[in-house]
Amino acid sequence: MLHKIQEGSVYKLIKIEESLILCQIGFTHHVIRVEFPVGKPSIYFRQKAVEYIWEWFDLDQDLEAFYEVANQDQVLKNLAHKYYGLRIMCIPDLFEALVWAIMGQQINLTFAYTLKKRFVEQFGESLTFEGETFWLFPSYEKIASLSVDDLRNLQFTSRKAEYIIGIAKAMAKGELSKEILLQNKDFIKIHQSLLMMRGIGPWTADYVMMKCLHIPSAFPVSDVGLHNALKNFIGLERKPTIEEVKEYAVNWEGWQAYATFYLWRSLYDKNT
DNA sequence: TACCAGGACCTCG
DNA sequence: CGAGGTCATGGT
């Protein structure tokens, strides 16, 4: 798939100016170490790779600031302690973040992963190393040239196919990019710009701001996973309403994205 | 077998 | 505007 974890390392294929570069990322003695199993990339490419990984792990965020906020909140206090050090796993590529969000709209995650796998293996580039194939997420240039039926064949709905191709075309024309979005003065304007695109609603806009644009106050309040996590973690009889979620979140100001991410994380070990 | 899924769009009143 | 219908298929 898009990355592989093996023997304490994570392998990730990235593309820098037409070059495919396989990164092997390890973590020992509080140091993140990046190695390149294929070829010998120049210092320029190694720096670009580090920039990508820096964004991927959201390393610019000041986690201690989050923990100060979390300590003032009954829900977050426990989660911050339990998952101390956890950072949002980001999706640095805007097209990838948007498409993945659209794939996940109103379908179960298992099927969303199936769709993503088909999408990536049909339209993405790859590199094979020691018998393992590593994939790049497809480029918007490639997807912009597709027809709705090309995606319908992979069991995308017509609506989702239209959204994805529309966004790819907007990006290919230079109308939509990470840089353009980040030129906005504040995150409300970024949110509004995203909502202008067909297929991007409030949830997708917040999701992308959280996972791609590194905005820690982005908050997908309507997210079903968030609702389930709150229900489980607090021990509610039913899922909270939007208004109830907002009540729980009054103390999360500035760190709603991290609160959400830690709550999502708690869904993985609700049975343990 | 129902019901729901990490929503968004469209139509109507 | 706000509510209700539609998309469409896989999981549980």
Side-chain angles (χ1 to χ4, degrees):
Chain A
M1 273 305 280
L2 292 170
H3 66 89
K4 189 175 297 289
I5 298 171
Q6 191 175 10
E7 293 167 6
S9 286
V10 53
Y11 293 80
K12 174 81 177 165
L13 182 65
I14 62 176
K15 186 174 187 178
I16 301 168
E17 294 161 20
E18 305 309 311
S19 298
L20 300 188
I21 296 179
L22 182 63
C23 305
Q24 178 186 351
I25 306 147
F27 184 63
T28 47
H29 304 105
H30 296 87
V31 174
I32 298 174
R33 181 175 180 78
V34 184
E35 294 174 275
F36 303 94
V38 181
K40 290 195 189 310
S42 67
I43 182 71
Y44 174 76
F45 285 109
R46 299 204 300 270
Q47 279 173 351
K48 288 287 181 187
V50 167
E51 282 174 26
Y52 181 93
I53 292 158
W54 194 274
E55 268 206 60
W56 194 24
F57 296 145
D58 208 22
L59 294 178
D60 268 340
Q61 301 294 346
D62 178 10
L63 276 190
E64 291 307 323
F66 168 54
Y67 294 140
E68 280 185 29
V69 168
N71 272 328
Q72 308 302 316
D73 184 83
Q74 271 317 109
V75 174
L76 295 188
K77 189 186 282 184
N78 295 321
L79 290 170
H81 185 258
K82 200 168 177 184
Y83 305 123
Y84 182 81
L86 176 68
R87 289 170 185 274
I88 293 179
M89 287 297 298
C90 291
I91 307 175
D93 176 58
L94 177 64
F95 183 62
E96 179 176 352
L98 283 168
V99 170
W100 174 233
I102 289 167
M103 283 181 188
Q105 287 170 2
Q106 192 59 16
I107 55 172
N108 64 72
L109 268 183
T110 312
F111 184 51
Y113 283 121
T114 303
L115 282 179
K116 180 163 128 181
K117 182 174 162 63
R118 288 178 190 160
F119 185 76
V120 166
E121 295 184 358
Q122 178 89 45
F123 302 115
E125 295 181 65
S126 69
L127 179 149
T128 299
F129 170 67
E130 293 182 349
E132 301 266 20
T133 299
F134 300 90
W135 293 89
L136 278 181
F137 197 82
S139 67
Y140 55 79
E141 293 96 334
K142 169 83 176 176
I143 304 306
S145 71
L146 300 182
S147 69
V148 168
D149 280 339
D150 291 329
L151 294 184
R152 282 184 55 103
N153 288 338
L154 307 185
Q155 282 181 291
F156 283 78
T157 65
S158 305
R159 198 78 64 84
K160 281 188 165 64
E162 289 167 13
Y163 297 163
I164 290 168
I165 293 169
I167 285 168
K169 285 183 172 167
M171 292 189 73
K173 281 191 266 180
E175 297 167 358
L176 175 67
S177 73
K178 212 166 166 179
E179 292 69 31
I180 291 172
L181 288 173
L182 289 171
Q183 278 169 13
N184 285 288
K185 287 241 180 288
D186 52 64
F187 76 93
I188 296 173
K189 286 209 159 49
I190 296 178
H191 200 262
Q192 287 170 344
S193 314
L194 282 165
L195 290 183
M196 305 277 290
M197 298 295 306
R198 187 159 179 268
I200 303 181
W203 177 84
T204 302
D206 282 314
Y207 182 84
V208 166
M209 287 164 67
M210 158 179 181
K211 295 275 283 186
C212 179
L213 302 180
H214 311 282
I215 299 171
S217 57
F219 190 23
V221 266
S222 63
D223 183 78
V224 178
L226 173 65
H227 299 174
N228 284 327
L230 278 169
K231 172 176 174 289
N232 291 332
F233 194 77
I234 301 173
L236 307 171
E237 289 294 320
R238 52 166 177 75
K239 284 190 283 190
T241 65
I242 300 287
E243 289 310 312
E244 287 167 341
V245 173
K246 287 180 180 170
E247 297 247 330
Y248 287 119
V250 286
N251 296 323
W252 304 354
E253 194 52 47
W255 293 98
Q256 292 90 335
Y258 264 82
T260 300
F261 195 74
Y262 273 54
L263 279 158
W264 284 346
R265 175 63 183 80
S266 75
L267 287 170
Y268 287 107
D269 41 41
K270 63 179 176 185
N271 298 321
T272 61

